Structures are given as structure tokens and as C-alpha cells.
Amino acid sequence: MPTQPLNGAEIILKALADQGVEVIFGYPGGAVLPIYDEIFKQNRLRHILVRHEQAAVHAAEGYARSTGKVGCVLVTSGPGATNAVTGLTDALMDSIPLVCLTGQVPTHLIGNDAFQEADTTGITRPCTKHNYLVKDVDSLARTIHEAFHVARSGRPGPVVIDLPKDVLVGRGEYVPAAKVRHKSYKPQVKGDIKLIETAVEMIAGAKKPILYGGGGIINAGPAASQLMTQFAHLTGFPVTLTLMGLGGVPGSDPQFLGMVGMHGTYEANLAMHDSDVMVCIGARFDDRVTGRINAFAPNAKKIHIDIDPSSINKNVAVDLAIVGDVAHVLEDMMKVWKARQYRPDERALRAWWAQIDKWRARECLRYEKTNKVIKPQYAIQRLYELTKDRDTYITTEVGQHQMWAAQFYKFEKPNRLMTSGGLGTMGYGLPAAMGVQVAHPDALVVDISGEASVMMNIQEMSTLCQYKLPVKVFILNNQYMGMVRQWQELLYNGRYSESYTAALPDFVKLAEAFGAVGLRAEKVGEVDEVIKEMMALDRTVIVDIRVDPAENCFPMIPSGAAHNEMLLGPEDEADKPISEDGMVLV
Amino acid sequence: MTVQTDAIKRHTIAVLVDNESGVLARVIGLFSGRGYNIESLTVAEVDPHENLSRITIVTSGTPMVIEQIKAQLRRLVPVHKVRDLTVEGPSVARELALVKVAGVGEKRVEALRIADIFRARVLDSTNESFVFEIVGSTEKLDAFINLMEPLGLVDVSRTGVAAIARGANPL
Ligand SMILES: Cc1ncc(C[n+]2csc(CCOP(=O)(O)OP(=O)(O)O)c2C)c(N)n1
Ligand SMILES: [Mg+2]
């Protein structure tokens, strides 16, 4: 039965409703006014007005990663779309499902260098999973449904839909979501059972196994984290996680060795290096994880489980690859393990754990306990202790504070850490926290931040205050772009070129200027006090923690070094100079 | 599944895609963005009913790189099929070139004589020039063009490689 034709903007709102979208983060402009007019006329879809389009995308990322839903963004043509590019790239690198609607000049003006025209599909082609330019109203509904399907299925990612203004005002037919089937895009979800059987056999024979999990576990939904934990317990194997995988097994689990990679723990990296069977589950052998590639886990048989076939054999050649959703594959692996009554090699495993315990005894995350200055690690440890019993979500910016957050905050559940892993985008954390708080109004949402990063999207304090989002911006203020300063110390003889953050604002006054609350801790004894005070406030808060400006983040595997060439602390800096090859790497 | 050899080899890859705007840019952008090289690329619609185009790409790389190229191509949403004609059974490949040679006297006679040996056809002729049409493997075309060089070669237009698997099955 033919339905009443709708205009393009009405179709968009209907399609978003059909897709279950409750919140959209956006910023208006000429090209999207018809959509804004429809938003005005209804109150089902909630619009959050950001202060910069980049922040809209990060907010949608925070929303998506903390809920498992698709995040949704609406921006205008030209500068609106180009401002969104960093966020889209960030979402692509971290496999975050997003749909971003961009305005466009009317079809007859495309290519004319019209006012606020940009080649949005051209610009965003390499930074999206897919993008569309909708050229007529009749394909609009179908395109939106397809975009959501592409964004959320397989390896998730951002999708852009570019919408010329004439398409928004023209009239056309609405197509319900159920009728849309894609011809070519069909990601594989179930793993090949023959390969799974082979994998389980390899795993059962392991003497020095390691489970290495990544963001794929989080993306596969909370069930995947449970399965991952069960699998670890069933086998008794040690587990390490990437930055993006934290929360994939509980941070307090005795089998969890901590994070792997450049600033991962000594025990995790050495267990990777010395392992004989490595099971990579939803991770991608990123250069931050592997260190020098030709020295990466030289004796390990590697099994790789990933939903994206292009992740397999990209950086590291593996011995067995299983393409599929990690939750499905883990489930099948456990079925096979149980059905065939496999038992781990108990004796070998005991010896392996004894070795791991020796590595653990090095206490690689140890730092100087002092009353003279606030150590950043201490501030995060206290934050963890005081917030762990609350329903807490953590976001971070990028830098040392991010790594300390990953090292010292124990994530017990998935979807609790929102951080820019792949792109490393300073300015991600504050807007991401905004998105998380919108999705979880009653939760405690903390952006663990650096004084430099926070300035990159500080304007969003205004958004937080407008919507009364009680996000806590927890700044580890070391007055330096600490991570840059650390590299300059290690690699450039302490020539701190442009890494001092001079002329910093008074963050307490800045908070107040936005209508938020500003708190400060300058002495060790004040840390607990301000954390408690911040938690007690149902307001947006900036907490300025004045930490040791000279502290470095250890352990560290310098670029171009192998896992077993890690620097454990300042005492190692002099003994292990960084190789020339390493100098060209980032 | 460990890929052992690091030798760089040339592969011909056939890609069936939706014939929609931007699809070629996606494929080319993938190659340039990830640093893969394209030796030749041809594209044309092959199925107007299903609205499908076929892209034939000749590329080269180590086995690991070639695997990556195929996996990355399959990841593109409008891509239906990716086949490596170099490794998946026997295939035939052809390329066409139009070759313009200008000259008079002995060189002109020699050009015509070589064209005859290569079974190139004369498509256009003036008193001082020929346009030859030659069809064959990339190597045959290269050889012909090299021979024309000293005989007054002025212009070349090549189609790039079209390739198809032998036997009765579709792509
Ligand atoms: C947008 C962007 N620009 C530059 C960088 C490079 N970068 C990485 S960490 C860092 C310093 C961050 O300083 P701060 O936020 O104070 O964190 P800290 O390292 O001091 O904890 C810089 C400049 C980046 N990651 N992102
Ligand atoms: Mg800093």
C-alpha cells in the first residue's frame, strides 16, 4: 500500500526513529535547516547542541562505545563536515559505529564551488567505513537503513551520508528498515569449525600460552567479555589486553597480566615475547603492541581470531587465522574444548606461571611514594580506589595521563574505558565523556585529562553546563605535554622544544566562567579530599590536580625495540640508548 | 597459513563492483592510501541489468601484500567479488595498444614490416605516419613499442589489461 509521500527531512527523522536512535549530536547550518526544522517539531529524538563539530563526533563515539549502540551525528555542509573529519578518522581507527549526516549544497550546485560546498564524500572516503551521497529522495530511507547496517555490523565503523539540500525538501516514499538487504556487503560472523578445532588442539598443547585480547572483544558485546573470561578460567592461561581491550577481562582477575604494548606491564610483554602459543582475540598486532616486528614473539605459534579478514597477516604472519565474531568463535572454542575433554598441560603451566610470577615480582608499575609532590600515578590510584564502587565510566585524552589511566585504573567490565587508541586524538576525552553521560545520566563519568589535551575541546564545557551533564574533568596538570617532554628527554637530550604549556588558564576560574565548579589539589593530602568533593557534586566539575611535572611513564618499550628490551624506569634510560632505526619511528 | 616467501610477484586481480559513482575512487584511493602499486587498471560496465562493473588491476607485491590487497578490496562495501587470476587457476589476458609512428623512407617501410610480424593492423595512415592497432600480452606490446622507438614513435595509447579465467565458470 503506497504511503503518504514525505519530505526528505521527515524521512530522515522517521528512519532514525526506526533505527532506534534516541540522541543525535549536532550543530546547525544553512544546508541542514530542513532537518533542524523537523527536529523542532518533535520531541522523540533528543538533539545535543555541541560547540564544535569535532566534539559532536567524539561525543557520539563516547555514546556508542559505552552503550554498544550506533552513535549519531548531524552537521552542516562545508566547514561543518570538514570539522567532523578528525572524529570520523578516530572512529575508523578504533572501529566505533557511527552514522554522520552531513548537509550538502543542492545537487544542481554541486561542483560549482558554491557557498559552503566541500567535496564531503571525497574528503571522507578514506576516513569512513563507507559513505553515500544521496541524489534523490526516493533512495534516502534505504540509504539511511543501509548506513546503520554497515556501521554496526562486521568490524564497526563510521559512515557518512551526504545530503544535498534539495533532497531534504523534495518528497518521496518511505521504505521501512526490514525491506533493505545489501547485495554485496555480508560480513562473516561464524568461524570455520574445522579451523576452530585445529586452534583448540594447538591451544591444548601449549606450554607457555598467552591470550592477547583487543577492542574486538568490546565491540562483540558484553557476552564476548564474559566468554573471554570463562575461556581464560577454563584453560588457566594468562591474559593480556590492549588499550582498546581493557575491561575485556576484569582488571582484578588474577590471570590478568595488565596491558600489553609500549607502556604495558613487564609481565605482559615478556609473556608475549616468550610464549609458545599466542591466541590473538579481536586485536590487530598494532605497532604499539608488537614493538620491533622481527623480534615479536619469535617462538610463538600465532592464532588470530578477527571479524576483519584484512587484519589477518597484515603486520604479523600468523599460523592459523579464524575469521568471525570473537563471541561466536570463543563460544565454539569452548564447546570443542569441553566436548573433546581437553586438559591444559598442568605441569608446563605451573612452570610458566612461576616464571610469570618472577616477572610480576619486579613490580614494574612501582613509582616513588612521596609526600612532597603529587605523583600522577598516585592521583589515578586514589581515583580508582574512591570510585570503584560507583557506576563509573572513564574517558581519557592523549598523553602520559592516558597511559597512567590504563595502567592504574582497573576496568572490571567492558565499555567502561573510552579512549582514542588508534588515532591518539588529543581533545577526545571531554566530548566523549559528554556522550557517555548523555547515555548514562546517573553514572559517574570522569575524563582523565592532561592540561594540554583538555584545551583542544574545552569549549564543550559550555555544552556540559547547558545540558547539566555532571561530567568530571580530572586534569593531571603537569604543565607539560608530558608525553612529548618524555620523548624529548629520552631521544633529544632534554631539549624541550615547545612542549611546555605556558600561559595556562586558571582551571578553577575557567570552570566557574562556564558555570561549572572548579577544584584544585596542590598537596598530596588534598587529593582524596577533592576526589570526594567532586563525586559529591551533581555538577560539571573541573579538577586541577597539580602533579609532578617531571614524572615519566614507565615501563616503556621505545620505538624500534623488542618486548624484552623494555625500559623499566629512569635507571634504565642511560643503559639502553634508543637505536637509530627507532628514531624514525613514531 | 604462514606466508613464507618474500619474493615480489605480479598479480592480475579481477574485481566485480557496483557501477556507482565513487567506486573507482574508492579502489584507487585504497591503493594510493596504503602504498600499493598499480601497474595497470581497466574498468567498464559488464552487466547493465545488475549494474555491475568489472575492474581488472595488475599489481605487484610480496604474498603478504597481495593477500592484504585482496582483503582490503573485499572490505569495500560496493565490492561483490575479488579474484586473483594469477593464482586461482589458469586465465587469459590481453591488452590493446594504439601506436602512432611518424617517418618516411626506409624507417617507414621497416615499421610496416615489423607491424606485420606482430600482426598489428594499420588503422590510419598518412604519407608520413601510421596508427597501428596491436593486441596481445603486456610483454608483446612492450616489445612492439620498443621496436617502434627508433622508427619514429610519437604516441602510444594502451587500454590496460583485460583478463578472464579459462573454462566454463563465471567469475
Ligand atoms: C591532536 C593531537 N595533536 C598532537 C598530538 C601529539 N601529542 C601526543 S601526547 C601530547 C601531549 C599531551 O599533553 P597533555 O594533554 O598535557 O598530557 P600529558 O602527556 O602531559 O599527560 C601531544 C602533543 C596528539 N596526540 N594529538
Ligand atoms: Mg600535561
Side-chain angles (χ1 to χ4, degrees), chain A residues 153-211:
Chain A
S153 60
R155 179 177 180 174
V159 177
V160 161
I161 311 176
D162 203 23
L163 301 160
K165 197 168 180 183
D166 53 327
V167 171
L168 301 180
V169 296
R171 291 192 172 270
E173 213 61 54
Y174 183 75
V175 186
K179 289 205 175 145
V180 177
R181 287 274 167 281
H182 202 276
K183 289 179 291 178
S184 56
Y185 175 75
K186 290 176 192 100
Q188 185 178 339
V189 176
K190 281 293 256 185
D192 181 325
I193 192 71
K194 283 271 163 316
L195 295 173
I196 289 173
E197 285 168 359
T198 315
V200 176
E201 201 180 321
M202 282 166 75
I203 289 166
K207 298 198 181 318
K208 298 171 164 191
I210 182 86
L211 305 180

Side-chain angles (χ1 to χ4, degrees), chain A residues 287-339:
Chain A
D287 56 81
R288 279 293 179 277
V289 161
T290 60
R292 180 149 50 84
I293 210 93
N294 59 7
F296 174 69
N299 304 316
K301 287 250 176 283
K302 300 175 188 81
I303 299 169
H304 190 179
I305 304 163
D306 205 294
I307 196 145
D308 177 6
S310 78
S311 282
I312 288 161
N313 289 327
K314 180 169 67 180
N315 302 331
V316 169
V318 297
D319 299 276
L320 184 78
I322 301 169
V323 175
D325 179 274
V326 294
H328 283 89
V329 176
L330 280 168
E331 199 172 3
D332 286 346
M333 278 175 35
M334 278 195 281
K335 274 191 202 144
V336 172
W337 179 279
K338 286 176 185 158

